[in-house]
Structures are given as C-alpha cells and as structure tokens.
Amino acid sequence: HQVLWKDKESRWVLPLRDPYTLELLGWQEKSQGGQTRVFMNRPAGLKKSTTFFGVQHMIKERVIVVESPLDVVKLVSLNISGSVAALGAMVSAPQIKLLRRSEVVVAAFDNPSFDPSGKKASEQILEIARKFGFELKFFNYRNPNTKDIGDMSEADIIFGLENAKDMIFGEKAFFV
C-alpha cells in the first residue's frame, strides 16, 4: 500500500489513488498517538471523498470497508485482502459507486456499540444499500468494548468476518 512513516513528525503518510487510473492523487498525513490527532490532506483541496485508501486492491468477490487506512494495513498484514478505508466515518456518493464493483460489501466501521460515528456510518450505509440494492453485511463485533479492527486480535477479526451479519436484520445486524 506504499504507506510511509515520517519519524521526525511521528506521522503516517497514506497515499490516495485515482480509482480509475490508479495514479497518485495525493496523500493524507496522520499523526500517531498523542493528545491531538492531526490529519492533513496533500495537496490542499484533495478530494478524498472520490476514492478509498487501498482502492487499487479492491476485489470483485468482497470488499471490506473500514474508516482508517491503518485498519486496512492491519487486515493486509493478516493476509486478508480486499479492504478499503473511507478515510472517515461516512461514505460519499462517488465511494458508493466504487463499492458497487464488488459482489459483497462488509461494513466494518468503528464498533457501533462503542462509537457514535461508527453507528451513524452503519445506519448510512444500510440506507444506501437498500436504495441501490447491493449485498451488505456488517462485521460482527462480538466484544462490544472493542473500538475497531486495529484494536482486535487476529482471531477476533477472522470471527468478525466469518460471522458478518446480513443487512436483512436491519440495525440488529450491526449491534452485538
């Protein structure tokens, strides 16, 4: 995924690619830890809502949508392919168009039982899936106190994917 680390500033550099040509659009810099989190998009005015982090690795069979690029990196480190990061808790209209490239979408936003923005994102993507008729499943957070994939063990991540709940259950699908 060509992620870089800027040691001096303690920041991740996360490249963003055009979803059609895969050319570099720019990058997001994200601070690691500390009291204040920093997110800077480069160049200024970069429209991150037109793509996903990791868009070049989407696969037809299944796409796993997370909020943070670092969650994508964790999934890849576990040999789990086909994940992308929305770079936030909401999915834009251009991103929805990209999701429709895959047969199944697994929403793995931050745990809706733990994080209000994860709950809102799950509600949003549920409405969109119903409107556009794509197959949607929700990652199964069996531990309601786990914030996101980055905080989980490999066993919990595999469980969450293998036991993803179908959108037919509505809001019950994304609550433990």
Side-chain angles (χ1 to χ4, degrees):
H1 284 70
Q2 300 174 319
V3 173
L4 301 173
W5 174 254
K6 290 175 89 174
D7 199 35
K8 193 173 182 179
E9 293 93 356
S10 296
R11 289 189 189 149
W12 294 102
V13 179
L14 307 151
L16 299 175
R17 300 199 167 276
D18 182 283
Y20 302 101
T21 67
L22 302 183
E23 292 180 32
L24 184 67
L25 292 173
W27 62 93
Q28 183 178 78
E29 292 186 22
K30 181 178 181 180
S31 66
Q32 179 67 21
Q35 292 288 344
T36 57
R37 293 176 20 180
V38 175
F39 297 93
M40 292 188 298
N41 298 320
R42 306 276 190 219
L46 173 67
K47 300 245 187 279
K48 64 182 186 172
S49 64
T50 63
T51 191
F52 288 108
F53 172 78
V55 69
Q56 70 274 26
H57 297 288
M58 284 181 72
I59 57 177
K60 183 179 180 191
E61 296 76 25
R62 174 186 76 183
V63 63
I64 304 161
V65 185
V66 297
E67 291 182 36
S68 171
L70 299 178
D71 291 341
V72 169
V73 172
K74 180 156 188 179
L75 290 167
V76 170
S77 76
L78 299 173
N79 291 317
I80 299 170
S81 59
S83 59
V84 295
L87 301 152
M90 300 310 255
V91 180
S92 68
Q95 289 173 324
I96 293 298
K97 185 176 178 183
L98 296 172
L99 290 178
R100 295 184 74 198
R101 293 179 179 177
S102 295
E103 294 170 2
V104 177
V105 175
V106 178
F109 297 111
D110 289 0
N111 188 341
S113 296
F114 183 86
D115 185 289
S117 64
K119 179 181 183 288
K120 188 172 181 180
S122 295
E123 290 169 345
Q124 177 215 25
I125 201 164
L126 176 61
E127 285 181 39
I128 290 167
R130 286 177 174 157
K131 180 178 178 180
F132 291 104
F134 61 83
E135 188 173 347
L136 175 66
K137 295 180 181 273
F138 289 95
F139 184 85
N140 188 335
Y141 282 99
R142 64 178 163 183
N143 180 349
N145 296 317
T146 303
K147 182 184 181 290
D148 61 23
I149 284 175
D151 295 338
M152 298 175 74
S153 69
E154 180 177 359
D156 283 340
I157 292 169
I158 291 169
F159 175 89
L161 291 170
E162 289 178 351
N163 295 283
K165 299 176 186 175
D166 195 286
M167 67 179 261
I168 197 162
F169 296 108
E171 283 191 19
K172 291 178 185 175
F174 52 85
F175 284 112
V176 176

